[in-house]
Amino acid sequence: MENLTRRLGAGIALTGVALLSACGGNGSSGGDDGSGPIRIGVSAPLSGDSAAAGTDIVNAAKLAVKKINKEGLLGGRKVEIVQVDDACDAQTGTAAMRRLLTQKVVAVAGGYCSGAVIPETMITDRAGIPFIADASTNVEITERGLKHVFRTIGRDDKQSEFAARYMVEYLKADNVAVIHDNTAYSKGLAEATKDTVRKLGAKTVFYDAITPGAKDFTSFLTKAKSTRPQAIYFTGYYADAGLLLKQADELGIDVPIIGGDANQDPTVIRTAGRAAEGFTTTTAPLPDFIKSTADFVSAYKSEYGTEPGPYAPYEYDAVNVLADAIARAGSADSEKVTEALHATKDYAGVTGPINFDEKGDRVHPVYVTAVVEGGVFVPGKKLDESGNWVDAKG
């Protein structure tokens, strides 16, 4: 796997380690007093419909810390993960984040549902604590001028452009249906996609929200079918996607159904059964799609006995780039770590080079389609540098 300090000059890396060994952080923010472990918080849904994704995020964070501590990258100081359950809920997330900040964390890496991360990052920013989101894509997260907020994943306006182009340009759909679930992530992606579909000269003939957790979507899908869309884009979460696919199949809806990046979970395939075949999602590249994640995937499977979920490598990178920032800052002081994160240049993450723009967003995020074939997600299509649709494999 990539050594976290490989890209640093030896003098810079050694200086950071020496400072950490000598005095740690100065304790001016983030609660670090220069002794004991450096604590990194992870907020994620560990209960509710998205608990599998949250557990995967926590596992990836712990795997990153295991490597950081084994390699002694921070001058002998150990890193420790402090996890909290935000249940993908704004109120629960707010309480969880306040509780987390009492644990003297230097930074936070995690999140899943944007609806929880939006208020969580307000709290961490006020406290001067950097928060790196690994999966939360709502535009608002980094559009509020918050100095201490970053992410290793792309954002909804970038994904919506990719999704709209895929449906209108690649699938040749003139009429599109867009379905969301009224959550911050889902509605934000849906609205941005609808706008981009219009800009590309096509029509959104159906636009409405399901009730998350409902058991019968047939009436809703019948209304969508009556508008005769040539493609359907669902921006909700995987807990509902499988049932939507199954009931759409039962209704004879035979147009392509595409999901946003909260849908590439095996739960969708298990729930939908044969109806999942051909289901396509727009997503950041999944772990198995990226050659540079091979060692990470192997380590994750060895540690946990299962495949890493879609956001595991992005959480792994979030924790590692934090460690890199601490090393470069020569301090575990949260403000100094924040400044080092803003100065990140071509960090060699397992998901590719990481740079942050002035808003804290990842520069040049990549999107692909993932398609269910033979009961698993496989690479579909991507845009090359010239804007042409090519195979995403490799």
Side-chain angles (χ1 to χ4, degrees):
M1 296 182 198
E2 295 286 347
N3 187 303
L4 293 182
T5 57
R6 188 181 72 175
R7 70 176 184 77
L8 300 172
I12 296 175
L14 291 173
T15 298
V17 170
L19 285 170
L20 283 164
S21 299
C23 61
N26 64 19
S28 65
S29 65
D32 185 72
D33 61 5
S35 63
I38 297 170
R39 311 188 96 188
I40 294 175
V42 176
S43 64
L46 301 176
S47 60
D49 288 342
S50 298
T55 299
D56 192 64
I57 287 168
V58 171
N59 285 347
K62 290 179 177 178
L63 189 63
V65 163
K66 181 177 180 180
K67 174 179 176 291
I68 292 164
N69 289 339
K70 181 180 179 180
E71 296 184 359
L73 298 172
L74 297 178
R77 289 192 69 185
K78 298 296 185 181
V79 179
E80 178 181 288
I81 291 296
V82 183
Q83 67 192 58
V84 290
D85 177 14
D86 69 14
C88 266
D89 175 77
Q91 185 173 354
T92 303
T94 297
M97 190 53 58
R98 287 174 176 155
R99 186 167 64 252
L100 184 60
L101 294 191
T102 68
Q103 302 299 307
K104 298 183 178 181
V105 296
V106 168
V108 180
Y112 181 65
C113 293
S114 294
V117 170
I118 289 170
E120 288 173 18
T121 47
M122 288 293 292
I123 293 171
T124 54
D125 189 72
R126 286 195 210 104
I129 304 292
F131 187 120
I132 305 183
D134 68 315
S136 304
T137 57
N138 187 275
V139 172
E140 185 179 349
I141 291 170
T142 50
E143 281 292 331
R144 296 167 294 171
L146 303 183
K147 173 185 175 183
H148 305 86
V149 180
F150 306 83
R151 53 182 150 200
T152 55
I153 198 76
R155 42 188 267 172
D156 289 340
D157 52 351
K158 300 298 184 183
Q159 181 180 186
S160 68
E161 179 181 351
F162 178 83
R165 290 188 63 181
Y166 178 74
M167 291 186 287
V168 177
E169 295 178 356
Y170 184 75
L171 296 180
K172 308 299 183 185
D174 294 318
N175 298 322
V176 173
V178 179
I179 300 171
H180 62 95
D181 67 9
N182 264 327
T183 60
Y185 153 75
S186 180
K187 191 171 184 180
L189 178 56
E191 289 179 344
T193 302
K194 181 177 66 171
D195 288 345
T196 309
V197 165
R198 176 182 54 80
K199 292 175 183 177
L200 292 174
K203 295 180 181 178
T204 299
V205 294
F206 181 84
Y207 182 84
D208 204 352
I210 63 164
T211 299
K215 301 303 180 185
D216 187 353
F217 297 116
T218 54
S219 177
F220 182 94
L221 288 167
T222 298
K223 291 179 183 178
K225 182 181 179 181
S226 70
T227 65
R228 298 183 178 180
Q230 294 164 306
I232 298 172
Y233 192 47
F234 174 62
T235 66
Y237 289 88
Y238 67 82
D240 295 310
L243 191 56
L244 273 169
L245 289 171
K246 185 176 182 180
Q247 293 177 358
D249 181 64
E250 292 168 352
L251 288 170
I253 296 176
D254 59 0
V255 301
I257 298 178
I258 301 98
D261 60 352
N263 288 286
Q264 58 273 12
D265 187 278
T267 303
V268 175
I269 300 169
R270 289 195 296 269
T271 303
R274 67 175 181 83
E277 284 296 304
F279 175 58
T280 299
T281 65
T282 58
T283 180
L286 304 185
D288 286 340
F289 295 6
I290 312 171
K291 291 179 181 179
S292 57
T293 65
D295 287 346
F296 163 75
V297 170
S298 177
Y300 190 99
K301 290 165 68 174
S302 176
E303 186 77 13
Y304 303 112
T306 186
E307 297 280 347
Y311 295 105
Y314 299 92
E315 173 67 8
Y316 186 80
D317 275 351
V319 174
N320 280 333
V321 79
L322 271 173
D324 174 72
I326 293 168
R328 285 186 288 111
S331 171
D333 174 77
S334 295
E335 285 293 348
K336 293 181 179 179
V337 174
T338 298
E339 293 299 332
L341 285 169
H342 279 291
T344 298
K345 184 173 176 58
D346 295 330
Y347 174 75
V350 298
T351 61
I354 295 176
N355 296 281
F356 300 112
D357 66 17
E358 66 279 1
K359 295 177 181 178
D361 284 309
R362 184 169 183 168
V363 177
H364 303 309
V366 176
Y367 283 99
V368 302
T369 63
V371 186
V372 178
E373 291 183 4
V376 295
F377 282 101
V378 300
K381 296 294 181 180
K382 67 179 179 180
L383 287 165
D384 65 15
E385 293 181 357
S386 299
N388 300 312
W389 291 99
V390 297
D391 289 341
K393 185 177 293 185

